[in-house]
Amino acid sequence: MNPNLDRSSHVNHQPNAKANSSALTSVTVIGLGAMGSKLARTFVNSGHDTTVWNRTPDKAAELVGLGASGATEIADAIAASPLVVVCVLDYDAARHILEPIGDNLSGKVVVNLTTGTPEQARTMGTWMSSLGAEYLDGGIMAVPSLIATPHAVILYSGSETAYGTYEQVLDSLGTSHYLGPDPALAPLNDLALLSGMYGMFGGFIHAAALAGTEGAKASDFTTSLLMPFLQAMMSTLPEMAKQIDSGDYTAKDASLAMQAAHDTIGEVSRAQGVSPELFTPIYELMKRRVEGGFGGDDFASVIELTRKRPSS
Ligand SMILES: NC(=O)c1ccc[n+]([C@@H]2O[C@H](COP(=O)([O-])OP(=O)(O)OC[C@H]3O[C@@H](n4cnc5c(N)ncnc54)[C@H](OP(=O)(O)O)[C@@H]3O)[C@@H](O)[C@H]2O)c1
C-alpha cells in the first residue's frame, strides 16, 4: 500500500440516484477519443467532479459544456484529482503523455484503460510504482455505447489498494471484474476473451457462407437455426473446461475419432464453392490428435496441441 495515496477528495456525498452506490470523487480523464469521451461523460453524469485533457484540446468542448473542467496543461489535469483514468490509442501514447509529468503522479491512482499487451501493462505498473503511484490496468470489453450499462464488462488488475478505494467509482462505467494484483492479467484476459469472440465470428462466417450456397438468407439462418444451436453448444463449455482443468478428456458423447473420421465439412464446403479456410485449422488439429492416439478423447483434448507446455 502506498502511504502517499491521496484520498483527500474522496467525499461520501451522494446527491443523485446513480451516485447512491458510489462515493463521489474527483477524477481526471486523459484521452478524449471515442472511448475516453464516453468514460468522461459517464463520470460527469454520475456526479463526479471530472477534469479532462486531450492532445487535441477541441475535443474537450462538449464535455466542458456538460460540466467537466477542461485542463490545457497535462500537469493541471493530474493535479486536479487523486484518480487519473487514461484511455488513449496505445501505451506509447500513454507513456509519451505521462513521462514529462511523472513526478506529479506520486500519491495518485492511475487507471490505464488503454488496450495493450501483458508485458506493456507490467512495464507500466513497474514505472508507476517507481513514481509512487498506485496502478490499475484495465481492459474494456465493450464499445462506447455500452459504457454505463451492465453489459460493459471492464477487467481490472494491479493495485488491490487502488481497486478497493475506487471500486464503486469504476462501477459506474459498467460491470467491473478485478482479476488480481498482476497488471498483466487484465490485458491477458482481454485478449483471451477477444480470441473466443473471433473464433465464434469465424464459425458464424463459415456457416452463413455454407448455408447461403442454397439460397438461405444469412439473417433467417442466423436467428432461426445458428443462434439456438450455438446457445445449446455453449452449455457444453463448462464440462469441457472441467476436462481441461483435470486433464481427463475421456469422451462421453462424441469422440474425436468420430468427429474427425471424415473432413465432411471441408469437402462439402469445397463442393459448394465455399473456401474451407476458416474451418480447416480446427479439423487439422482434431486429426492430429486422433493420429497421436487420442481418438477416444473429447474435443477439449485438442488444447494439448496448442497450449503452453509446463517447463520441466
Ligand atoms: N472504441 C472502442 O470500441 C474501444 C473498445 C475497447 C477498448 N478500446 C480502447 O480504448 C483506447 C482508446 O480508444 P478510442 O476508441 O477512444 O480511440 P480513438 O477514438 O482513436 O482516440 C484515440 C485517443 O488517443 C489519443 N492519442 C493517440 N495518439 C496519441 C499520441 N501520440 N499522443 C497523445 N494522444 C494520442 C487521441 O488524441 P487526439 O484526439 O489528439 O488524436 C485520442 O484521445 C484504445 O486503446 C482502444 O483499443 C476502445
Side-chain angles (χ1 to χ4, degrees), residues 32-35 54-56 59 87-89 93 97 115 140 142-144:
L32 301 176
M35 186 55 86
N54 195 56
R55 175 181 63 173
T56 310
K59 289 192 187 165
C87 188
V88 289
L89 186 64
I97 292 165
T115 303
I140 302 177
V143 291

Side-chain angles (χ1 to χ4, degrees), residues 169-248:
V169 178
L170 298 173
D171 281 350
S172 64
L173 302 176
T175 302
S176 314
H177 280 276
Y178 178 72
L179 295 164
D182 182 349
L185 290 173
L188 182 70
N189 283 273
D190 180 332
L191 297 171
L193 291 178
L194 289 177
S195 59
M197 178 193 78
Y198 281 117
M200 183 183 73
F201 284 176
F204 160 69
I205 293 295
H206 188 80
L210 193 53
T213 59
E214 297 296 341
K217 285 258 173 250
S219 357
D220 297 340
F221 169 73
T222 300
T223 49
S224 65
L225 291 176
L226 186 63
M227 284 176 66
F229 178 67
L230 288 183
Q231 267 151 9
M233 288 301 99
M234 201 109 101
S235 67
T236 68
L237 294 185
E239 185 54 35
M240 287 207 250
K242 268 192 210 155
Q243 292 181 324
I244 290 168
D245 288 339
S246 70
D248 178 1

Side-chain angles (χ1 to χ4, degrees), residues 68-84:
S69 305
T72 318
E73 300 298 328
I74 182 71
D76 295 336
I78 300 298
S81 315
L83 172 62
V84 177

Side-chain angles (χ1 to χ4, degrees), residues 249-273:
Y249 300 107
T250 312
K252 295 187 178 66
D253 287 326
S255 72
L256 271 178
M258 178 279 288
Q259 294 186 66
H262 302 285
D263 183 16
T264 316
I265 296 175
E267 284 161 16
V268 171
S269 298
R270 278 186 287 272
Q272 295 289 108

